Amino acid sequence: MAREKIKIKKIDSITARQVTFSKRRRGLIKKAQELAVLCDAEVGLIIFSATGKLHDYASSSIKDIVTRYDLHCHGSNPSDSHSLELQNSSHSELRNEIADKTQELRQLKGEDLEGLNLDDLLKLEKKLDVGLSRVNLIMDKRNMGEITELQRKVDNLAKANKQIKQKVAIMCKGKGPMMTNSDMGGRGGVSSEAMDNNVCGCNNNGLLDDDSSSISLRLGLP
């Protein structure tokens, strides 16, 4: 037997009207939910009963949906307004994150610790220990790097010094040994004064020989 089609008109009976309203309202909200889930749509539903009672449904936020609807009706671009809302939401999240990180940094510095309980203080101590371990690790790496660099410079200087000594030794071998006055006195026992006397003696003997030869010539002697 076919179901009789209900005529769409106002129901005269108040009781029947209220029952029909409750049934149809639940069915309408169910359809709105299905539409939002299946089609990834943003759905907002506002219903006022005959008695003035409000019934609403929104897939996200009824306030945001109404605001978007108003912007759309006034000729604004819905995509631009939605992007602006996302930007504002992102900025708000960033501000909150910055505030949290700033508070955490102040606590790590030992400030604003009055409101922390024992568990919070233990967590803060653990963070400080982890941070100190990282700092010590980085310092050890840098110190090892500086020590390695200094050792490399010392090795280069030692190598350069060795090369200079080798060059000096080669130059000394090429010129030969040089005798000084002290060396001569030590080896032969001859001093500078003795050398001067020898030179003078040689000069005097030469003068005497010249004089004797001239006298022999004058006397006619051989």
Side-chain angles (χ1 to χ4, degrees), residues 92-110:
S92 178
E93 292 178 358
L94 288 175
R95 283 194 297 268
N96 294 333
E97 185 176 358
I98 291 173
D100 294 338
K101 294 299 182 182
T102 303
Q103 181 67 18
E104 183 179 356
L105 181 60
R106 290 175 62 85
Q107 291 176 353
L108 289 173
K109 291 181 179 180

Side-chain angles (χ1 to χ4, degrees), residues 23 30 37 45 56 61-64 66 94 110 124 159 169 176-177 192 207 213:
K23 291 181 180 180
K30 184 178 179 181
V37 173
L45 179 62
D56 62 341
S61 171
I62 191 66
K63 184 178 179 180
D64 294 341
V66 172
L94 288 175
L124 183 61
K159 185 177 180 180
S192 60
L207 291 174
S213 59

